[in-house]
């Protein structure tokens, strides 16, 4: 069995134990597992800003590099990692709120640009753009739940661990998020259906 | 069992995913209608939910940049460098010692170097404070009135003189033109040595004290040094004041004075016990010795500086018949003449 396959077969928690002992290969393996999920999580949470998502993902793994002992190996690594990521997003939202209050016209022009770009690029892009706009207008908790549920494929239990709330609360939040999106995306419903049919066929 | 008990809001997602409104059971419909207005809304939300799930899968995902991993691996290597080193490339003892001494993985307060430096600073501070206090005490001792040290030294001398006076011959009056009192040479020799070897200390009340200071008594030089330590300059004009002060001395007080070049030591005590008025003799001058052998009182004056005429001495002896009291001493001292 090669070294890389050894690490591939290890659980996240076992890899973190190795990382805490300074094992570089373990860190590489763990990065390969979660870097994609993490960067997409940040990408969707942080207004589809790719550079920002890359920076946040790097910062997230830097925390593992410099303070791996902060992770309690008795907890599931995935939920711990996204708890940290979610807290980073919370902080970024707070900063963004300050920025929006300071210069609201910049924020509005940024959203308009995104929407216009979507309209010009076609129905699918327009729908996705509207979806992202609707998500952007939601509060951070609902957005996090939605992204983890529908974009990251997290289970209800995993989301509840990340959000540190009950599974019932997560389900309730998901339902009301969908209901809110249903109202905002009413005009695009047919387009979405057509797109789906095209894509599936 | 009521509908409320069977269906919780979190189950709505499950119902939306699995059934249309028409497919719902009556109790499920009742539960769903608590959260949606009608069947149309239910179906609309269901459609949105299903579309979102499918669109999310089709949503374009981004991949992290390769250089991000490269940067992170370098950072990891740097952060865990000591642990990653193979055994044959372990750091030298000096390096290992320094790593232990200044472990950058620990907070500054947990680093041995910081802790040791703090300890050293603490010890230094305590030492400094202690030394400073001792210096203060020494300074205070230096400022203590010389009477205390005089008292101590003169008590020794007093004790010795007591012993001497019991055995010493009386002052002889020479009757020459200078009308000075002379002391036999052999007596002067004896008096330069405060305590001679053949003098018995058995008669002293405080034998233990004398025994403890025996070496000091036998050592003339030490005695003279002690005399110098407790001496103070005295001008002629100050003598009457001195005399008055002396008469007011409280019990067991004693003083020593000097006129500068010659020692003029006065050691009065104002108790009812016999007093001793003593002026130390040195090699540079002779001394007028007025000793009360019967009581142990004694008085020596520097011939060159202070003296009494013969008749004055006789009068003094008469007026100050033993024991020589401090009250009389002032008048006696006031009669001192200077040779100048």
């Amino acid at each position: 069995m090669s070294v890389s396959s050894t690490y591939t077969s290890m659980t996240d928690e076992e890899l973190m134990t190795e990382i805490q002992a300074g094992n570089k290969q373990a860190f590489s393996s763990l990065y390969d597992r979660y870097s994609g999920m993490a960067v997409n999580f940040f990408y969707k949470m942080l207004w589809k800003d790719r550079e920002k998502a890359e920076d946040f993902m790097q910062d997230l793994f830097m925390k593992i590099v410099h303070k791996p002992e902060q992770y309690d190996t008795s907890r599931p690594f995935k939920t711990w990692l996204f708890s940290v990521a979610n807290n980073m997003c919370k902080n970024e939202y707070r900063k963004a709120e300050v920025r929006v209050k300071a210069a609201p016209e910049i924020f509005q022009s940024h959203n308009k640009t995104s929407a216009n770009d979507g309209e010009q690029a076609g129905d699918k892009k327009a729908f996705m753009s509207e979806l992202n706009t609707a998500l952007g207008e939601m509060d951070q908790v609902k957005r996090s739940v939605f992204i983890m549920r529908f974009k990251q494929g997290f289970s209800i239990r995993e989301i509840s661990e990340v959000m540190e709330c009950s599974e019932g609360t997560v389900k309730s939040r998901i339902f009301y998020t969908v209901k809110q999106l249903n109202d905002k995306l009413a005009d695009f419903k047919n387009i979405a259906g057509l797109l789906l049919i095209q894509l599936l066929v | 069992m009521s509908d409320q008990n069977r269906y919780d809001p979190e189950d709505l997602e499950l119902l939306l995913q699995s059934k249309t409104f028409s497919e719902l059971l009556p109790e499920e419909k009742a539960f769903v209608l608590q959260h949606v207005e009608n069947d149309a809304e239910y179906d609309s939300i269901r459609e949105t939910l299903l579309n979102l799930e499918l669109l999310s899968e089709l949503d374009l995902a981004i991949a992290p940049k390769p250089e991000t991993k490269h940067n992170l691996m370098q950072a990891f290597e740097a952060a865990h460098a000591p642990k990653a080193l193979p055994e044959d490339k372990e750091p030298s003892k000096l390096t290992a010692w320094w790593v232990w001494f200044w472990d950058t993985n620990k907070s500054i307060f947990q680093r041995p170097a910081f802790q040791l430096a703090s300890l050293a600073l603490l010890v230094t501070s305590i030492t400094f404070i202690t030394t400073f206090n001792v210096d203060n005490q020494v300074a205070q001792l230096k400022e203590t009135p010389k009477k205390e040290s005089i008292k101590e030294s003169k008590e020794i001398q007093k004790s010795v003189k007591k012993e001497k006076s019991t055995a010493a011959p009386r002052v002889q009056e020479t009757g020459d033109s200078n009308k000075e009192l002379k002391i036999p040479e052999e007596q002067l020799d004896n008096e330069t040595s405060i305590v001679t070897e053949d003098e018995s200390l058995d008669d002293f009340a405080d034998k233990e004290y004398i025994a403890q200071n025996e070496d000091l008594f036998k050592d003339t030089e030490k005695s003279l040094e002690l005399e110098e330590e407790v001496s103070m300059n005295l001008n002629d004009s100050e003598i009457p004041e001195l005399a008055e002060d002396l008469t007011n001395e409280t019990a067991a007080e004693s003083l020593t004075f000097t006129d500068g070049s010659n020692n003029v030591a006065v050691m009065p005590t104002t108790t009812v016990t016999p007093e001793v008025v003593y002026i130390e003799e040195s090699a540079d001058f002779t001394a007028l010795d007025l000793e009360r052998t019967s009581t142990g009182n004694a008085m020596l004056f520097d011939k060159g500086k202070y003296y009494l005429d013969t008749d004055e001495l006789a009068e003094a002896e008469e007026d100050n018949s033993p024991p020589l009291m401090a009250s009389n001493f002032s008048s006696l001292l006031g009669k001192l003449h200077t040779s100048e």
Side-chain angles (χ1 to χ4, degrees), chain B residues 200-237:
Chain B
S200 172
L201 301 176
D202 293 342
D203 294 334
F204 283 95
D206 193 353
K207 292 177 182 175
E208 185 179 348
Y209 180 78
I210 296 301
Q212 287 173 352
N213 296 281
E214 191 174 357
D215 292 337
L216 178 64
F217 298 152
K218 288 179 180 177
D219 190 340
T220 307
E221 288 184 3
K222 284 183 181 177
S223 177
L224 290 173
E225 284 174 8
L226 186 63
E227 194 73 30
E228 288 173 8
E229 285 178 7
V230 299
S231 66
M232 56 188 287
N233 289 328
L234 181 68
N235 296 327
D236 292 347
S237 60

Side-chain angles (χ1 to χ4, degrees), chain B residues 251-274:
Chain B
E253 291 282 349
S254 60
L255 285 169
T256 298
F257 303 99
T258 177
D259 63 354
S261 59
N262 299 319
N263 291 327
V264 180
V266 183
M267 204 171 80
T269 58
T270 55
T271 58
V272 293
T273 56

Side-chain angles (χ1 to χ4, degrees), chain B residues 28 32-33 35 41 77 81 112 116-117 120 124 130 155 161 168 170 183 205 207 228-229 235 246 250 252 268 286:
Chain B
E28 289 173 337
V32 165
L33 289 172
H35 300 281
E41 188 182 16
E77 208 167 306
L116 288 173
T124 307
T130 309
E155 276 179 355
K161 200 64 186 175
R170 283 181 60 88
I183 302 168
K207 292 177 182 175
E228 288 173 8
E229 285 178 7
N235 296 327
L246 290 173
T250 55
T286 56

Side-chain angles (χ1 to χ4, degrees), chain A residues 10 13 17 21 26 38 42 46 60 66 76 96 101 115 121 126-127 129 156 158 168 178 187 194:
Chain A
M10 289 172 78
E13 291 73 30
T17 305
F42 286 121
L46 303 175
L60 178 65
H66 291 294
K101 284 176 185 174
F127 174 76
S129 176
I156 300 295
E158 286 173 335
V178 172
D187 297 340
L194 289 172

